[in-house]
Amino acid sequence: MRVTVWNENRHEQKNPKVQAIYPQGIHEAIAAPLRQAGLEVRTATLDQPQHGLGGQVLDNTEVLFWWGHLAHGEVSDLLVEQVRQRVLEGMGLVVLHSGHFSKIFKALMGTSCDLKWREADDVERLWVVAPGHPIVEGLGEYLELPAEEMYGEHFDVPEPDELVLVSWFSGGEVFRSGLCYTRGRGRIFYFRPGHETYPTYHHPGVQQILLGAARWAAATPGPKPVRGHYPTLRPPK
Ligand code: ZN
């Protein structure tokens, strides 16, 4: 399976705390365990030419991971449209954490994608609410992160096709933190954790969920649908 992990890669350049946690960048921390699991993974970042997604990269990507925060506005509208088209054609998309405000996620959802937030070292407990779902295969009843940014409801997104994870925060809020959608032939998974100042992507349970998400999002079974003007299937008289 061919995966591309896209990261804005800006916090890593300017915040020593983030550098210390992710010396190779968030993208490499996400990519490494996927590679270990046997997936073919490349990475791409905002400041590369064409944001690292030019040429045949998108055509050769079965699942695209997306981490962005500071610079959603700098992502080219043309690229966003190309990504959207690829999703409709069947490319999987895994949107991470602050990617909820990315142009691509908002374009695919059609809503504001706004939410509550707080940076206060809340404990986050992610409850599996779809036991047996392939994304959470092998996981227990819940996963606990000792410190994370809080995201709270209401999360302004359309009703998901499947709700896989719900987060509880020690401050009292709850959040739908693992959401499955389909758009066209493409599968989309939104996964909440991953604030840049916490080592969330080094957590084995989080890595397991991201591997499950890659495998789930890549699957687009069935033939390509035929649309448009269509000649009769009845034999001529
Ligand atoms: Zn954050």
Side-chain angles (χ1 to χ4, degrees), residues 27-104:
H27 48 294
E28 290 300 334
I30 293 168
L34 298 175
R35 286 192 188 112
Q36 268 171 26
L39 277 52
E40 191 184 320
V41 186
R42 70 161 79 208
T43 61
T45 58
L46 178 66
D47 292 323
Q48 292 174 330
Q50 295 177 273
H51 307 327
L53 297 175
Q56 300 302 305
V57 174
L58 283 178
D59 285 341
N60 290 325
T61 297
E62 289 169 81
V63 180
L64 178 65
F65 282 69
W66 195 274
W67 197 102
H69 179 221
L70 292 174
H72 294 314
E74 291 179 44
V75 177
S76 120
D77 291 333
L78 178 65
L79 176 80
V80 171
E81 182 52 25
Q82 288 167 344
V83 172
R84 196 182 72 90
Q85 283 301 328
R86 281 287 296 130
V87 170
L88 298 180
E89 285 167 21
M91 181 181 74
L93 179 68
V94 179
V95 176
L96 300 166
H97 187 60
S98 39
H100 73 90
F101 263 164
S102 62
K103 286 182 183 177
I104 183 59

